[in-house]
C-alpha cells in the first residue's frame, strides 16, 4: 500500500535527526505560511464549493488562526524547545536536573470537515514546530478542501516529511492499522472511540478533540443586550456547525420572554438568508435531513424554515423544551437552539452536571457568586463568562475536552507539548559521594537514609 511506504519513509527520515533542528522547523513553517498566503484564493474557492463559506468567515475562523499559529511558533520556538532547568533534591546532590522536549516522531492528524483548514492544519503546525514528521488525513466530507490541501502540500513538501492522504472511511481505517507515535483526531465522540481503540493496539497515545452538548446559561443578572448579540453570532456562526457552539440555552424564567425577543431581533438584524455571505450551507444532505427531523414544529419560537435544494436551515429557536425531548439527546451541530427555563440557578447547574462533560460551557451574568459557582461546580473543556466561542482565539489557553468530550489539548505552548515527549535528565557529579546507599547495609546507614528522605 502506498501510504505504508510513505509512513516508512517518514520513519526513516525522522531517524536522520534533521527535524530536531530548530532552523529546519522554521524553514518549513515559513514555507507553509507562504503557501497559505499565495494560495488563499484556491482555499476560498474550495470551501465555498463544499458548503458556501464566505471569504470573510473563512479568513476570520480558519486562515487567520493558521497564520497566527505559525507566527506564534516562529516567535516562541526557541524558548519552547529550550531545556528547562528544575530543582534537584537533596539525595541527588551534587547534581543538575533538566527537562528536554523531544519530538515524538511520526504523527497522524485526522481533520474535521466543519473547519477543514483550521482543524487540519493547526495541529499539523504544532506537530511540525515540535519537530515531527506528519501525515494529514483531512475529512472527505469536505471533499474540495481536502483536495486543495493535498494539492498545495503534496506539491511543495517532501512526502517523507509532510504528506496529505486523500480518501474516505476505507482509507482512514487502513491508516489506523498502522503504527504512529501519536494520533490527533478531531470529530465525533462515536468515531473518537473507534480511533482510540485502534490506537490502543499499538499503545499509541492520542489527542481526541470531540464534542458534546455545550450548555449556555443566562441569568437575570446578565447584560441581556450584549448576551443576545454575542450568543446569536456564536451559535449561528458556520450555521451552527461548530464543536464549541452553544448547544442549548438555559435561561432564567423571569427574563425568558424578554431575552428570546432579543435573540429574535438579532437574528433578523444579522440577515441569515439562504444566499447571504454571513451564513453557510449545511455540509450535506444527510446532516440536513438529520437537523430538519429535530425541528418540533409545535415548539418553534422563531425560524423553522428550510430549503433542501440549497441545504439551508433558518436559525431556529425552540422553546418549552424538556430534557427528554429528542433534540436534547445528542449534539445538535446545526442552527437549532433549544431553550429550557429555570427558576433556581443552582438547580440549573445541577441539571448540567447530570449530563456528559461537554467541550465548552458558557455563562452570562455579572453576579460574582454565580460566576464562582459556574467555574467551580461544572467540569468542561473550556469556555467563557459573558461571551461564547472566543476562548479559542487566545493561544495562551489550552483547547481540549474532558471525559466524553475529549482527551488532551493543544494551541500555543500546549500544542508544542502535545507533540513532544518531556524527557528528564539527571546529571551527577563524580566526586563527593557518601557511601550510605551502598552495601553492606547497617542500622546507622538506615537512620541517615531516613533523615535524608
Amino acid at each position: 500500500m502506498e501510504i505504508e511506504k510513505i509512513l516508512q519513509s517518514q520513519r526513516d527520515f525522522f531517524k536522520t535527526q534533521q527535524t530536531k533542528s530548530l532552523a529546519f522547523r522554521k524553514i518549513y513553517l515559513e514555507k507553509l505560511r507562504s503557501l497559505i498566503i499565495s494560495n488563499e484564493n484556491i482555499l476560498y474557492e474550495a470551501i465555498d464549493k463544499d458548503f458556501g463559506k464566505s471569504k470573510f468567515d473563512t479568513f476570520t475562523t480558519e486562515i487567520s488562526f493558521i497564520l497566527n499559529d505559525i507566527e506564534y511558533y516562529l516567535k516562541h520556538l526557541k524558548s519552547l524547545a529550550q531545556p528547562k532547568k528544575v530543582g534537584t533534591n537533596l539525595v541527588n546532590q551534587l547534581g543538575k536536573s533538566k527537562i528536554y522536549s523531544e519530538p515524538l516522531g511520526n504523527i497522524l492528524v485526522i481533520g474535521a470537515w466543519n473547519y477543514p483548514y483550521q482543524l487540519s492544519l493547526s495541529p499539523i503546525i504544532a506537530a511540525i514546530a515540535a519537530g515531527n514528521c506528519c501525515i494529514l488525513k483531512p475529512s472527505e466530507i469536505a471533499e474540495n478542501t481536502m483536495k486543495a490541501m493535498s494539492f498545495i502540500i503534496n506539491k511543495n513538501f517532501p512526502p517523507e516529511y509532510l504528506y496529505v492522504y486523500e480518501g474516505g472511511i476505507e482509507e482512514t481505517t487502513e491508516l489506523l492499522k498502522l503504527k504512529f507515535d501519536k494520533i490527533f483526531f478531531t470529530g465525533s465522540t462515536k468515531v473518537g472511540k473507534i480511533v482510540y481503540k485502534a490506537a490502543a493496539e499499538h499503545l499509541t497515545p492520542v489527542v481526541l478533540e470531540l464534542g458534546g452538548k455545550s450548555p449556555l446559561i443566562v441569568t437575570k443578572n446578565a447584560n441581556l443586550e450584549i448576551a443576545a448579540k454575542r450568543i446569536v453570532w456564536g451559535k449561528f456562526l458556520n450555521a451552527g456547525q461548530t464543536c464549541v457552539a452553544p448547544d442549548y440555552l438555559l435561561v432564567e424564567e423571569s427574563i425568558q420572554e424578554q431575552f428570546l425577543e432579543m435573540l429574535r431581533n438579532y437574528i433578523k438584524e444579522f440577515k441569515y438568508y439562504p444566499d447571504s455571505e454571513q451564513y453557510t450551507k449545511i455540509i450535506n444532505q444527510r446532516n440536513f435531513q438529520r437537523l430538519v427531523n429535530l425541528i418540533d414544529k409545535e415548539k418553534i419560537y422563531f425560524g423553522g424554515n428550510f430549503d433542501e435544494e440549497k441545504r439551508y436551515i433558518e436559525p431556529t429557536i425552540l422553546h418549552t423544551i424538556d430534557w427528554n425531548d429528542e433534540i436534547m439527546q445528542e449534539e445538535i451541530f446545526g442552527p437549532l437552539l433549544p431553550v429550557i427555563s429555570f427558576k433556581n440557578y443552582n438547580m440549573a447547574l445541577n441539571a448540567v452536571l447530570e449530563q456528559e462533560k461537554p467541550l465548552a460551557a458558557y455563562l452570562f451574568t455579572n453576579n460574582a457568586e454565580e460566576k464562582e459557582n459556574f467555574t467551580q461546580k461544572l467540569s468542561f473543556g473550556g469556555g467563557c463568562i459573558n461571551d461564547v466561542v472566543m476562548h479559542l482565539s487566545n493561544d495562551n489557553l489550552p483547547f481540549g475536552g474532558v471525559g466524553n468530550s475529549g482527551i488532551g489539548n493543544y494551541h500555543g505552548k500546549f500544542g508544542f507539548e502535545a507533540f513532544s515527549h518531556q524527557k528528564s535528565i539527571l546529571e551527577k557529579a563524580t566526586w563527593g559521594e557518601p557511601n550510605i546507599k551502598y552495601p553492606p547495609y547497617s542500622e546507622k546507614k538506615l537512620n541517615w537514609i531516613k533523615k535524608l528522605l
Side-chain angles (χ1 to χ4, degrees), residues 31-44:
K31 184 171 187 175
L32 183 57
R33 177 175 61 186
S34 176
L35 287 168
I36 295 296
I37 293 170
S38 62
N39 289 282
E40 211 168 317
N41 285 332
I42 291 175
L43 298 175
Y44 289 146

Side-chain angles (χ1 to χ4, degrees), residues 185-435:
F185 169 78
T186 303
S188 69
T189 301
K190 179 182 177 181
V191 179
K193 290 177 181 179
I194 296 170
V195 172
Y196 202 8
K197 185 176 181 180
E201 289 295 317
H202 299 291
L203 294 180
T204 299
V206 297
V207 174
L208 301 178
E209 296 294 347
L210 309 177
K213 295 188 74 65
S214 297
L216 163 65
I217 305 171
V218 179
T219 79
K220 64 184 179 184
N221 297 306
N223 181 324
L224 299 185
E225 198 70 40
I226 288 293
K229 188 175 187 178
R230 292 176 179 175
I231 289 165
V232 168
W233 171 81
K235 171 61 182 177
F236 301 113
L237 179 70
N238 213 38
Q241 299 168 115
T242 304
C243 57
V244 292
D247 190 272
Y248 61 95
L249 167 62
L250 293 167
V251 60
E252 197 155 357
E253 190 176 274
S254 63
I255 59 163
Q256 177 179 255
E257 187 176 337
Q258 176 189 4
F259 190 64
L260 292 187
E261 182 64 25
M262 290 178 175
L263 292 176
R264 172 162 49 191
N265 290 339
Y266 275 112
I267 291 172
K268 289 179 177 179
E269 183 178 324
F270 292 167
K271 299 180 180 178
Y272 294 119
Y273 304 142
D275 298 310
S276 65
E277 185 183 24
Q278 57 268 23
Y279 202 55
T280 62
K281 301 174 183 176
I282 304 304
I283 185 66
N284 55 27
Q285 291 296 336
R286 183 177 64 84
N287 277 280
F288 175 87
Q289 199 56 55
R290 177 185 64 82
L291 289 164
V292 168
N293 290 342
L294 289 175
I295 300 174
D296 184 341
K297 293 180 181 179
E298 301 298 317
K299 297 191 174 186
I300 294 174
Y301 173 84
F302 177 84
N305 297 308
F306 55 86
D307 184 326
E308 185 172 0
E309 186 179 340
K310 293 183 176 181
R311 303 202 310 271
Y312 167 81
I313 298 178
E314 184 181 17
T316 300
I317 299 173
L318 301 161
H319 64 160
T320 65
I321 294 295
D322 185 87
W323 287 99
N324 296 317
D325 286 347
E326 184 182 358
I327 199 168
M328 295 303 295
Q329 305 313 306
E330 61 179 21
E331 184 179 6
I332 296 167
F333 222 68
L336 314 178
L337 181 62
V339 180
I340 300 174
S341 65
F342 67 86
K343 292 181 179 178
N344 182 283
Y345 175 69
N346 286 316
M347 288 181 67
L349 292 183
N350 288 338
V352 174
L353 274 172
E354 292 298 314
Q355 317 307 312
E356 293 281 6
K357 296 176 181 179
L359 183 58
Y362 306 107
L363 170 68
F364 282 84
T365 183
N366 288 315
N367 180 283
E369 185 178 348
E370 289 175 349
K371 294 177 186 178
E372 182 69 15
N373 287 344
F374 169 82
T375 304
Q376 296 298 323
K377 200 167 188 177
L378 298 186
S379 179
F380 51 90
C384 305
I385 295 174
N386 293 324
D387 208 346
V388 296
V389 179
M390 289 302 293
H391 60 295
L392 293 190
S393 64
N394 184 352
D395 54 27
N396 295 306
L397 292 173
F399 172 58
V402 57
N404 216 52
S405 59
I407 299 169
N409 51 51
Y410 71 123
H411 285 188
K413 74 168 186 175
F414 306 99
F416 184 89
E417 291 168 356
F419 294 104
S420 302
H421 167 61
Q422 306 303 307
K423 181 168 66 179
S424 56
I425 297 290
L426 170 67
E427 182 181 350
K428 294 284 288 286
T430 55
W431 57 274
E433 182 178 41
N435 287 317

